[in-house]
Amino acid sequence: MELKSSAFKAYDIRGKFPEEVNEELAYRIGRVFPTLFNAKRVAVGHDIRLSGPDIQKALELGLTEMGCEVVDIGQCGTEMIYFATAHLGLDGGIMITASHNPKEYNGLKLVRKEARPISGDTGLKDIEAKVMAGDLGTPAEVPAKVIEVDIMKDYIDHLLTYVDMSALKPLKIVVNSGNGAAGPAIDELEKRLPFNFVKVNNNPDGTFPNGVPNPLLMENREATAKVVREEKADLGVAFDGDFDRCFIFDENGDMIEGYYIVGFLAKAFLNKNPGAKIIYDPRLTWNTIELVEEAGGVPVMCKSGHAFIKDCMRKEDAVYGGEMSAHNYFKDFSFCDSGMITWLLVAELLCQAEGKMSEMLKERMERYPISGEINSTVADAKAVMAAIEEKYGSTGEVCKMDGFSVDYPEWRFNVRISNTEPVVRLNVETRGDKKLLEEKTAEVLAVIRG
């Protein structure tokens, strides 16, 4: 079976099955992983994609041939691999998932001890080199075993430590699992929580009968929003395929941008952890910085991308980190991202506030209106970045931590290149001026699109 290096991305391995991601690739990864990371015991699981079990079998064969015991946690979400790796004290974890990608895709996300991410800067390129060269090491004299472990109860117990159960009220919550991996975890949480769940597309189904589980797509949002409105629910929650991200809808069915959730959760964490550090990414910043400083915390900017955020959180010993892309990271969850912890904390805050979800964030959204991320496919992304820098580089406060950001007194923007495609991503925000937001967004887009 032919192998293609195109499956190796900046943070994970991902591509079409079986052209780019297949059993041979998984087997080889299983062979090289134990040697590169001195791994004796590794957690393995898969999401609901139809190719997942076959890829897992091949991966497990490679691992066990090298004398590495496999802890098989079965069908799960990515954050359950993170949890199992840390909770069971394992040497690594491998999740078979393509997250929010279409059904013909699959992939692998890898972590080492303590659920530390393995990305391009921390070993993924080494894996790629050995896999592509067929440098698979020498098998152990005695193959290791595969043991099946049900991690669900311990995982649910851990999730519930993040909320004050006595503060929770019988909210009506619409939960859309997108026929992804979130359904079983929601079913278990339902037994322990006072919420009235209205479940949409809750059954895991790798054929994705209701579309790819990517709530960011405009055409997918209405599936959650419609039920929120019809049920007169207090809150809506929609997950991507492997549920490491969740997307929040208010009682009107309006999806709340992940940017505002970062500041919302940061403030809540600082109420419990005075003076703590909070990590945020450079794409949108003003709302988060203001809320963190007002709450007595320390805002720390970090390059976007889960590997960078997790590393930065460890270095800074930050209690919480958030990206506008709806990835939220928690110190007590091995500094990893979790969609389940995110919505639980939002629900807790809603119970404590005794108001409506839209009211809780309305003032912040008006104070710092945003363009939303605007993607432009371009012929030459580097040339576009050069043109942006030439026009704006000497006119405001420049930051090149992640792409190109410029701050002015009343507005700011960030432009960055996609890691995986010829796309330039733009984010703009202003200080309460929606007209200025429209003008400046159009102005920068004109430079990007020529």
Side-chain angles (χ1 to χ4, degrees), residues 57-87:
K57 284 179 186 175
L59 174 68
E60 289 176 347
L61 179 61
L63 288 165
T64 54
E65 281 185 2
M66 299 302 286
C68 180
E69 182 179 89
V70 171
V71 177
D72 176 6
I73 68 169
Q75 182 182 291
C76 61
T78 295
E79 65 186 64
M80 294 176 72
I81 285 288
Y82 298 156
F83 175 75
T85 302
H87 181 67

Tab-separated table of all heavy atoms in Angstrom, residues 57-87:
chain	number	residue	atom	x	y	z
A	57	LYS	N	-6.482	-1.573	14.544
A	57	LYS	CA	-5.880	-2.916	14.581
A	57	LYS	C	-4.458	-2.906	14.031
A	57	LYS	O	-3.546	-3.529	14.594
A	57	LYS	CB	-6.735	-3.898	13.768
A	57	LYS	CG	-8.012	-4.340	14.461
A	57	LYS	CD	-8.796	-5.294	13.569
A	57	LYS	CE	-10.146	-5.638	14.187
A	57	LYS	NZ	-10.967	-6.477	13.275
A	58	ALA	N	-4.260	-2.193	12.925
A	58	ALA	CA	-2.931	-2.115	12.321
A	58	ALA	C	-1.958	-1.373	13.234
A	58	ALA	O	-0.799	-1.779	13.397
A	58	ALA	CB	-3.020	-1.423	10.963
A	59	LEU	N	-2.437	-0.298	13.834
A	59	LEU	CA	-1.609	0.473	14.770
A	59	LEU	C	-1.212	-0.390	15.964
A	59	LEU	O	-0.036	-0.414	16.379
A	59	LEU	CB	-2.391	1.706	15.240
A	59	LEU	CG	-1.736	2.562	16.325
A	59	LEU	CD1	-0.493	3.254	15.786
A	59	LEU	CD2	-2.738	3.600	16.854
A	60	GLU	N	-2.183	-1.106	16.514
A	60	GLU	CA	-1.918	-1.962	17.676
A	60	GLU	C	-0.927	-3.075	17.337
A	60	GLU	O	-0.073	-3.426	18.159
A	60	GLU	CB	-3.226	-2.552	18.198
A	60	GLU	CG	-4.119	-1.518	18.869
A	60	GLU	CD	-5.454	-2.081	19.311
A	60	GLU	OE1	-5.802	-3.210	18.875
A	60	GLU	OE2	-6.153	-1.406	20.097
A	61	LEU	N	-1.013	-3.617	16.120
A	61	LEU	CA	-0.067	-4.650	15.700
A	61	LEU	C	1.352	-4.104	15.707
A	61	LEU	O	2.277	-4.752	16.215
A	61	LEU	CB	-0.435	-5.159	14.303
A	61	LEU	CG	0.492	-6.239	13.717
A	61	LEU	CD1	0.490	-7.488	14.597
A	61	LEU	CD2	0.081	-6.578	12.291
A	62	GLY	N	1.514	-2.917	15.173
A	62	GLY	CA	2.835	-2.308	15.162
A	62	GLY	C	3.372	-2.056	16.556
A	62	GLY	O	4.538	-2.351	16.862
A	63	LEU	N	2.529	-1.523	17.425
A	63	LEU	CA	2.940	-1.233	18.804
A	63	LEU	C	3.320	-2.508	19.554
A	63	LEU	O	4.377	-2.581	20.189
A	63	LEU	CB	1.810	-0.507	19.539
A	63	LEU	CG	1.540	0.952	19.126
A	63	LEU	CD1	0.181	1.413	19.645
A	63	LEU	CD2	2.639	1.884	19.654
A	64	THR	N	2.464	-3.506	19.486
A	64	THR	CA	2.708	-4.722	20.270
A	64	THR	C	3.915	-5.504	19.748
A	64	THR	O	4.634	-6.134	20.529
A	64	THR	CB	1.464	-5.634	20.293
A	64	THR	OG1	1.043	-5.907	18.944
A	64	THR	CG2	0.325	-4.969	21.053
A	65	GLU	N	4.155	-5.458	18.442
A	65	GLU	CA	5.339	-6.123	17.894
A	65	GLU	C	6.631	-5.548	18.493
A	65	GLU	O	7.637	-6.248	18.604
A	65	GLU	CB	5.380	-5.979	16.369
A	65	GLU	CG	4.465	-6.948	15.633
A	65	GLU	CD	4.627	-6.858	14.130
A	65	GLU	OE1	5.476	-6.071	13.655
A	65	GLU	OE2	3.906	-7.573	13.415
A	66	MET	N	6.569	-4.274	18.871
A	66	MET	CA	7.747	-3.627	19.457
A	66	MET	C	7.806	-3.800	20.975
A	66	MET	O	8.642	-3.189	21.650
A	66	MET	CB	7.755	-2.144	19.099
A	66	MET	CG	7.808	-1.875	17.598
A	66	MET	SD	9.252	-2.606	16.800
A	66	MET	CE	10.542	-1.496	17.353
A	67	GLY	N	6.886	-4.597	21.521
A	67	GLY	CA	6.887	-4.837	22.960
A	67	GLY	C	6.185	-3.762	23.759
A	67	GLY	O	6.351	-3.662	24.972
A	68	CYS	N	5.360	-2.966	23.082
A	68	CYS	CA	4.634	-1.876	23.746
A	68	CYS	C	3.195	-2.315	24.021
A	68	CYS	O	2.445	-2.628	23.086
A	68	CYS	CB	4.647	-0.630	22.865
A	68	CYS	SG	3.787	0.784	23.572
A	69	GLU	N	2.813	-2.345	25.290
A	69	GLU	CA	1.456	-2.738	25.661
A	69	GLU	C	0.461	-1.669	25.241
A	69	GLU	O	0.701	-0.471	25.432
A	69	GLU	CB	1.367	-2.950	27.171
A	69	GLU	CG	-0.008	-3.415	27.639
A	69	GLU	CD	-0.057	-3.640	29.139
A	69	GLU	OE1	-0.359	-2.669	29.875
A	69	GLU	OE2	0.218	-4.768	29.576
A	70	VAL	N	-0.647	-2.098	24.666
A	70	VAL	CA	-1.692	-1.185	24.224
A	70	VAL	C	-2.837	-1.193	25.226
A	70	VAL	O	-3.365	-2.247	25.586
A	70	VAL	CB	-2.221	-1.578	22.835
A	70	VAL	CG1	-3.464	-0.761	22.477
A	70	VAL	CG2	-1.144	-1.371	21.778
A	71	VAL	N	-3.215	-0.011	25.686
A	71	VAL	CA	-4.405	0.158	26.511
A	71	VAL	C	-5.510	0.663	25.585
A	71	VAL	O	-5.547	1.828	25.200
A	71	VAL	CB	-4.154	1.147	27.665
A	71	VAL	CG1	-5.431	1.359	28.476
A	71	VAL	CG2	-3.030	0.650	28.560
A	72	ASP	N	-6.386	-0.244	25.184
A	72	ASP	CA	-7.427	0.041	24.204
A	72	ASP	C	-8.657	0.592	24.922
A	72	ASP	O	-9.317	-0.134	25.670
A	72	ASP	CB	-7.760	-1.252	23.449
A	72	ASP	CG	-8.907	-1.090	22.454
A	72	ASP	OD1	-9.381	0.041	22.258
A	72	ASP	OD2	-9.331	-2.119	21.880
A	73	ILE	N	-8.970	1.877	24.681
A	73	ILE	CA	-10.154	2.447	25.331
A	73	ILE	C	-11.338	2.511	24.370
A	73	ILE	O	-12.388	3.058	24.706
A	73	ILE	CB	-9.879	3.828	25.961
A	73	ILE	CG1	-9.609	4.901	24.910
A	73	ILE	CG2	-8.706	3.741	26.942
A	73	ILE	CD1	-9.601	6.319	25.495
A	74	GLY	N	-11.162	1.944	23.159
A	74	GLY	CA	-12.282	1.794	22.238
A	74	GLY	C	-12.714	3.094	21.590
A	74	GLY	O	-11.926	4.013	21.392
A	75	GLN	N	-14.008	3.154	21.247
A	75	GLN	CA	-14.549	4.368	20.631
A	75	GLN	C	-14.597	5.473	21.669
A	75	GLN	O	-15.095	5.281	22.787
A	75	GLN	CB	-15.946	4.100	20.089
A	75	GLN	CG	-16.569	5.300	19.380
A	75	GLN	CD	-17.963	5.003	18.901
A	75	GLN	OE1	-18.161	4.207	17.990
A	75	GLN	NE2	-18.948	5.640	19.523
A	76	CYS	N	-14.105	6.656	21.304
A	76	CYS	CA	-13.972	7.725	22.301
A	76	CYS	C	-13.782	9.062	21.599
A	76	CYS	O	-13.778	9.147	20.373
A	76	CYS	CB	-12.767	7.432	23.215
A	76	CYS	SG	-11.189	7.359	22.329
A	77	GLY	N	-13.623	10.094	22.399
A	77	GLY	CA	-13.241	11.407	21.895
A	77	GLY	C	-11.768	11.641	22.169
A	77	GLY	O	-11.166	10.992	23.030
A	78	THR	N	-11.183	12.587	21.452
A	78	THR	CA	-9.744	12.854	21.604
A	78	THR	C	-9.378	13.165	23.046
A	78	THR	O	-8.349	12.697	23.558
A	78	THR	CB	-9.329	14.014	20.681
A	78	THR	OG1	-9.498	13.608	19.316
A	78	THR	CG2	-7.883	14.402	20.897
A	79	GLU	N	-10.199	13.948	23.719
A	79	GLU	CA	-9.843	14.317	25.093
A	79	GLU	C	-9.847	13.117	26.036
A	79	GLU	O	-9.209	13.159	27.095
A	79	GLU	CB	-10.766	15.413	25.613
A	79	GLU	CG	-12.223	15.027	25.753
A	79	GLU	CD	-13.068	16.240	26.131
A	79	GLU	OE1	-13.153	17.209	25.330
A	79	GLU	OE2	-13.626	16.228	27.237
A	80	MET	N	-10.531	12.044	25.655
A	80	MET	CA	-10.501	10.838	26.490
A	80	MET	C	-9.148	10.125	26.369
A	80	MET	O	-8.693	9.481	27.324
A	80	MET	CB	-11.656	9.915	26.114
A	80	MET	CG	-13.017	10.506	26.448
A	80	MET	SD	-14.418	9.480	25.916
A	80	MET	CE	-14.307	8.119	27.090
A	81	ILE	N	-8.496	10.244	25.212
A	81	ILE	CA	-7.132	9.734	25.082
A	81	ILE	C	-6.182	10.569	25.936
A	81	ILE	O	-5.299	10.035	26.623
A	81	ILE	CB	-6.687	9.738	23.602
A	81	ILE	CG1	-7.353	8.587	22.857
A	81	ILE	CG2	-5.169	9.648	23.477
A	81	ILE	CD1	-6.823	7.203	23.185
A	82	TYR	N	-6.355	11.890	25.898
A	82	TYR	CA	-5.540	12.760	26.761
A	82	TYR	C	-5.705	12.330	28.221
A	82	TYR	O	-4.733	12.181	28.966
A	82	TYR	CB	-5.958	14.224	26.628
A	82	TYR	CG	-5.809	14.849	25.270
A	82	TYR	CD1	-6.587	15.953	24.905
A	82	TYR	CD2	-4.889	14.370	24.332
A	82	TYR	CE1	-6.454	16.557	23.661
A	82	TYR	CE2	-4.757	14.973	23.085
A	82	TYR	CZ	-5.541	16.071	22.763
A	82	TYR	OH	-5.419	16.674	21.540
A	83	PHE	N	-6.965	12.157	28.622
A	83	PHE	CA	-7.260	11.813	30.012
A	83	PHE	C	-6.662	10.459	30.380
A	83	PHE	O	-6.016	10.315	31.422
A	83	PHE	CB	-8.767	11.800	30.253
A	83	PHE	CG	-9.149	11.335	31.626
A	83	PHE	CD1	-8.977	12.170	32.721
A	83	PHE	CD2	-9.641	10.049	31.839
A	83	PHE	CE1	-9.306	11.742	34.008
A	83	PHE	CE2	-9.971	9.614	33.110
A	83	PHE	CZ	-9.800	10.457	34.199
A	84	ALA	N	-6.871	9.458	29.530
A	84	ALA	CA	-6.378	8.113	29.825
A	84	ALA	C	-4.855	8.097	29.949
A	84	ALA	O	-4.299	7.455	30.846
A	84	ALA	CB	-6.822	7.140	28.734
A	85	THR	N	-4.179	8.815	29.056
A	85	THR	CA	-2.713	8.844	29.076
A	85	THR	C	-2.198	9.386	30.402
A	85	THR	O	-1.293	8.804	31.015
A	85	THR	CB	-2.186	9.705	27.912
A	85	THR	OG1	-2.663	9.164	26.673
A	85	THR	CG2	-0.661	9.732	27.897
A	86	ALA	N	-2.781	10.490	30.851
A	86	ALA	CA	-2.328	11.102	32.099
A	86	ALA	C	-2.834	10.338	33.323
A	86	ALA	O	-2.075	10.052	34.252
A	86	ALA	CB	-2.789	12.555	32.156
A	87	HIS	N	-4.103	9.996	33.326
A	87	HIS	CA	-4.744	9.366	34.485
A	87	HIS	C	-4.141	8.000	34.805
A	87	HIS	O	-3.970	7.640	35.979
A	87	HIS	CB	-6.243	9.223	34.205
A	87	HIS	CG	-7.035	8.610	35.320
A	87	HIS	ND1	-7.227	9.241	36.536
A	87	HIS	CD2	-7.689	7.414	35.389
A	87	HIS	CE1	-7.964	8.460	37.313
A	87	HIS	NE2	-8.251	7.355	36.647
